[in-house]
Amino acid sequence: SDVCSSDLRRKLAVRGTLRVIATAVAIFFALAYGMQWARFSAASIVGARVLLLGALAAAIYWFVVKPLRRQVTDDQVALYLEEKEPALQTMLVSAVESSREGRHWESSALVQKLIAQAVEMCAASESAQTVERGPMRLNGGLAAGVVGVAVLAVLVGPEFFRHALSAMLLVSRSVEAAAPYKI
């Protein structure tokens, strides 16, 4: 279950990263329009920097850290694998339930054999490696697509997108230097 659990965690991390990227891109464009509307005033630039940083931190916590901190039980892994790999039938759930503490009426040798068979079947079917390969590729591709569209929008879109990008990300520059509209 450790291998399966780590694969599930990797899937959660990839999906969370996609959501963080999509959130950051959406917030960036909303803030860019807001700064343009405010004519890149000092307050709008500072506000955009703070809001982008805060939203990014919140998105990372909400979409990556929080899901990865959840404990995945053996029961959840067993049910998940059985759902994705029908060849395992009820072997995994039976093994997990038989190995629980407090079940003294069963033969420990029988329980160990059942667990060994379940692990053997899981390894033979390569379920842990293949169950989430498709969704992970999809989420990775979607993340690349979101980044690609955002880069394209900044490069060929309105000029204020490029001004907003430099104003928000180049925090080493003063707010006055980041404002593209000067008198």
Side-chain angles (χ1 to χ4, degrees):
S1 93
D2 290 339
V3 172
C4 299
S5 180
S6 67
D7 284 347
L8 289 173
R9 291 191 185 288
R10 194 173 351 199
K11 173 192 149 192
L12 289 173
V14 170
R15 185 172 54 199
T17 301
L18 165 63
R19 290 175 176 174
V20 167
I21 290 170
T23 301
V25 166
I27 289 172
F28 164 75
F29 284 116
L31 291 173
Y33 276 103
M35 287 192 305
Q36 171 67 10
W37 179 79
R39 308 304 282 157
F40 284 87
S41 67
S44 71
I45 293 172
V46 170
R49 287 176 178 176
V50 169
L51 282 173
L52 184 63
L53 183 63
L56 209 60
I60 290 170
Y61 174 76
W62 191 259
F63 295 129
V64 179
V65 174
K66 191 174 177 185
L68 290 177
R69 289 182 65 191
R70 279 189 232 133
Q71 293 294 334
V72 180
T73 66
D74 288 341
D75 288 339
Q76 289 172 322
V77 172
L79 288 171
Y80 182 77
L81 276 175
E82 281 186 2
E83 178 184 308
K84 299 294 183 177
E85 186 62 49
L88 296 176
Q89 296 173 359
T90 58
M91 177 75 69
L92 292 172
V93 173
S94 298
V96 169
E97 286 190 10
S98 297
S99 67
R100 284 202 178 113
E101 299 283 330
R103 300 201 47 176
H104 302 291
W105 53 271
E106 296 172 334
S107 163
S108 62
L110 180 64
V111 170
Q112 292 303 322
K113 179 71 172 163
L114 184 61
I115 292 170
Q117 282 179 331
V119 170
E120 203 173 285
M121 285 182 71
C122 188
S125 70
E126 297 180 10
S127 296
Q129 290 79 29
T130 60
V131 166
E132 290 304 331
R133 204 171 279 158
M136 284 181 58
R137 282 188 187 142
L138 176 66
N139 285 333
L142 287 172
V146 168
V147 170
V149 167
V151 167
L152 191 62
V154 169
L155 292 176
V156 299
E159 190 174 353
F160 74 87
F161 283 164
R162 291 180 286 288
H163 294 305
L165 186 65
S166 68
M168 280 190 266
L169 298 183
L170 298 176
V171 293
S172 62
R173 289 181 16 189
S174 70
V175 175
E176 292 79 24
Y181 307 129
K182 297 177 186 153
I183 298 176

